[in-house]
Amino acid sequence: MTFADNVAHIKATIKQAQESASAHRELTLICVSKYHTVEEAKAIYDLGIRDFAENYVQGLQEKQAALPDDITWHLIGPLQSRKVKDVINQVDYFHALDRLKIAKEINKRADHVIKCFVEVNVSGEESKHGIKPEEVMPFVQACAAYPKVEIIGLMTMAPHDAPDEEKRGIFRTLRELQQAIMEKRLPGAPCSELSMGMTSDYPLAVLEGASFVRIGTAFFQSDDR
Ligand SMILES: *Cc1c(COP(=O)(O)O)cnc(C)c1O
């Protein structure tokens, strides 16, 4: 199986899920290249993918320096305060905002408005980053103090080994929260987007209205599926 087969399979799976979802919406397919080389990422690029994600600042910088200029870059891992200045102006989307301290630092260092997702720990797993669902609304309200931080949506990760029903419930909860925030029309927080779905669960996330999916393994695998 080639990378071309993988891309075709992912696109077909997404399309099928979109067709069964009640509301069909625009979707950005992001290739998470974090465990892969520049050459492998370039092979995916050559198959037409233009959105790439890394979870560490260093990985993002290395890939960005080596790959073509027309890529949209997503930082999907948490940022440390002291690293914000090194990377924020090279990032198109930041998916893991979960502390006001980081919002404040982004506001200080960014030379343009940064599109951010608030990461929410819907499942309550201790090991997960993200803020508790009940804290999201006040967090988003507090971010209004930082005009260079635009809250474009919410992001979550479902537990890897949870049953499908549970994962789908987590994605649904994130969507309900996103809609509640969007309806408030808070300043600097359109909150219209949902970043959810990885290799093991993206069809479920698309069924629940994901508008950004972050897929790594499924792009790069070369064994039998
Ligand atoms: C690694 C990672 C992904 C992609 O995971 P796969 O299971 O390889 O698709 C998505 N989102 C985040 C935040 C990640 O760290």
Side-chain angles (χ1 to χ4, degrees), residues 51-185:
D51 286 81
F52 285 81
E54 289 281 325
N55 59 341
Y56 290 113
V57 170
Q58 199 193 345
L60 189 130
Q61 288 171 332
E62 280 172 17
K63 294 276 192 343
Q64 202 166 46
L67 290 167
D69 286 342
D70 61 343
I71 290 177
T72 298
W73 287 99
H74 301 259
L75 184 65
I76 58 175
L79 256 177
Q80 291 167 288
S81 202
R82 64 189 171 81
K83 295 264 175 94
V84 170
K85 66 177 182 317
D86 300 337
V87 77
I88 202 65
N89 289 311
Q90 276 92 63
V91 165
D92 297 296
Y93 293 87
F94 175 45
H95 291 245
L97 182 64
D98 68 354
R99 284 182 297 150
L100 277 181
K101 191 180 167 197
I102 301 298
K104 186 177 179 184
E105 187 66 12
I106 291 173
N107 195 58
K108 185 171 159 193
R109 304 291 186 173
D111 61 17
H112 62 284
V113 174
I114 308 295
K115 295 186 177 82
C116 298
F117 290 87
V118 174
E119 183 169 354
V120 187
N121 184 353
V122 179
S123 67
E125 281 180 294
E126 298 236 336
S127 60
K128 289 258 190 292
H129 291 280
I131 63 182
K132 293 184 187 144
E134 61 272 25
E135 289 167 3
V136 175
M137 188 78 82
F139 180 86
V140 173
Q141 282 165 329
C143 285
Y146 307 118
K148 286 191 186 136
V149 174
E150 181 181 27
I151 308 297
I152 65 157
L154 305 182
M155 178 275 222
T156 200
M157 291 169 81
H160 206 69
D161 46 10
D164 281 3
E165 265 319 297
E166 189 181 327
K167 288 185 174 195
R168 194 163 170 178
I170 286 168
F171 297 143
R172 187 180 310 127
T173 301
L174 193 73
R175 171 164 51 81
E176 287 163 1
L177 198 54
Q178 172 258 315
Q179 282 170 347
I181 295 169
M182 185 174 73
E183 281 163 17
K184 293 254 179 190
R185 300 174 179 277

Side-chain angles (χ1 to χ4, degrees), residues 32 34 55 76 155 157 198-199 214-217:
V32 181
K34 64 187 181 195
N55 59 341
I76 58 175
M155 178 275 222
M157 291 169 81
M198 317 182 9
T199 294
R214 312 174 310 267
I215 300 180
T217 311

Side-chain angles (χ1 to χ4, degrees), residues 5 10 15 18 25 36 49 57 68 79 92 99 107 124 130 136 145 153 163 165 170 186 197 210 222:
D5 295 330
I10 293 166
K15 188 156 180 270
Q18 280 179 316
R25 58 179 304 178
H36 301 277
I49 302 297
V57 170
L79 256 177
D92 297 296
R99 284 182 297 150
N107 195 58
V136 175
E165 265 319 297
I170 286 168
L186 300 170
S222 50

